[in-house]
Amino acid sequence: MGAWDSGRRARIGLIGCGFYAQNHLHAWQDLAGHGADLVAVCDQDEAKARAAGEKFGVKWYTDARSMLDDGPLDLVDITTRMDSHEALAALAAERRLAAVVQKPFAPTWDECVSIVRTAEKHGAWLAVHENFRFATSMQRVKQVLESGTIGPPSWARIAFRTGYDVYKGQPYFYNEERLVILDVGIHVLDLARVFLGEVDRVYCETQKRNPKVRAEDTATVTLRHASGAVSVVECTYEARRIPDAFPEVLLEIEGPVGSIVVKPGEKMIVTTQGLSFEEYIGSPLLSWTTRPWHVSQEAVRNTNAHMLDALRAGRPADTSGEDNLKTYALVEAAYESASKHAGVRPKVSD
């Protein structure tokens, strides 16, 4: 796929008009000045499809195949639950349509690999909507790391700990077979890859602290990176603290000449060469974002903008399907490690 003509706009179709998809819809609408045109939405639930279509002034469908065939579309944003991703991504790939798939990529490793290989077979552009790394705060942390201010990172703790009622908006969480690692841990594991590089070994312990849920709601993961760095990734929906930093990621990263600490309120403290400074690394509210979700909502907009830029430039997204397999491999390794109580090497795609 080559670069687009500078004046060409992207026609966007979105499949799945549920809870979190509303952020994608607002983000695409917000990116109209960036060259995005949201033109169609689809959901099997007619009421959701109609409501989204009317709210955003676009054509609505209850059948994804019909929406894709009616076109013309340049990019399909798949924001359904993960068990439908493989089939929907295949519909897009068969039509050589670019697709963005909401995380988690799919319920299993084999399905994730299948999605990637099907897109490759048809020459279709594919990316995963892994939005945490595109949050303004996390992008700023990455900038400081890349500047060499603290030297090569050798240790980190990256945490998403909350008691926010995530089950209210997504009650199906109670019955998931795999929960916190696959839902939010995958985001934090992705950040560990971004900040400290690829991973050689994973050790994980899980807990089920809420008796109402079927699967794990807490995970503590230790990663040994190829660089020799070590990171600890923490995620839980059962933290009890005031204030609750939801949905912020808190972290500590140490290098030979300094450190980076991100505290609640999106405050970053950088220490280097014996000196330190504090900086606010968040961003102002957008017209459609609300606290506390604004941190995640703004990250969706940033992610969509990145996807649009990559597609128009004819290059893979940073979170291409192939890249996300490396993050998903850490999820698989964490679950395997927890079951074996032993260190596990991440899978490598064929």
Side-chain angles (χ1 to χ4, degrees), residues 106-177:
T108 69
W109 169 261
D110 288 343
E111 288 172 87
C112 292
V113 173
S114 174
I115 295 172
V116 173
R117 301 297 170 243
T118 299
E120 289 177 348
K121 175 184 175 182
H122 294 281
W125 190 93
L126 174 69
V128 178
H129 202 280
E130 174 48 69
N131 67 331
F132 272 36
R133 68 163 79 179
F134 294 105
T136 297
S137 56
M138 297 299 102
Q139 287 288 296
R140 180 61 182 135
V141 170
K142 184 182 177 186
Q143 288 174 357
V144 175
L145 282 172
E146 291 177 344
S147 74
T149 300
I150 70 167
S154 54
W155 181 90
R157 176 183 286 119
I158 310 173
F160 187 97
R161 308 190 68 87
T162 185
Y164 187 88
D165 187 2
V166 297
Y167 306 101
K168 182 177 180 180
Q170 296 158 290
Y172 55 86
F173 275 3
Y174 283 116
N175 296 312
E176 295 287 353
E177 293 183 4

Side-chain angles (χ1 to χ4, degrees), residues 202-239:
V202 177
Y203 186 90
C204 175
E205 287 289 346
T206 60
Q207 297 168 281
K208 186 169 81 73
R209 297 158 67 190
N210 184 337
K212 295 180 181 180
V213 301
R214 178 181 180 184
E216 89 291 347
D217 54 36
T218 301
T220 306
V221 191
T222 301
L223 307 175
R224 177 76 179 192
H225 296 263
S227 66
V230 172
S231 64
V232 179
V233 166
E234 303 173 355
C235 52
T236 185
Y237 290 142
E238 293 303 314

Side-chain angles (χ1 to χ4, degrees), residues 78 80-92 94 101 105-108 110-115 118:
I78 299 172
T80 55
R81 290 183 60 183
M82 62 181 173
D83 56 0
S84 65
H85 289 175
E86 184 177 16
L88 292 172
L91 288 179
E94 289 162 3
V101 180
F105 206 177
T108 69
D110 288 343
E111 288 172 87
C112 292
V113 173
S114 174
I115 295 172
T118 299

Side-chain angles (χ1 to χ4, degrees), residues 15-16 42-44 61-70 73 76 88 91 95:
I15 304 174
C42 176
D43 198 289
Q44 289 182 326
Y61 298 79
T62 57
D63 178 70
R65 190 183 301 270
S66 296
M67 186 185 83
L68 299 185
D69 286 342
D70 280 359
L73 298 174
V76 182
L88 292 172
L91 288 179
R95 292 158 176 78

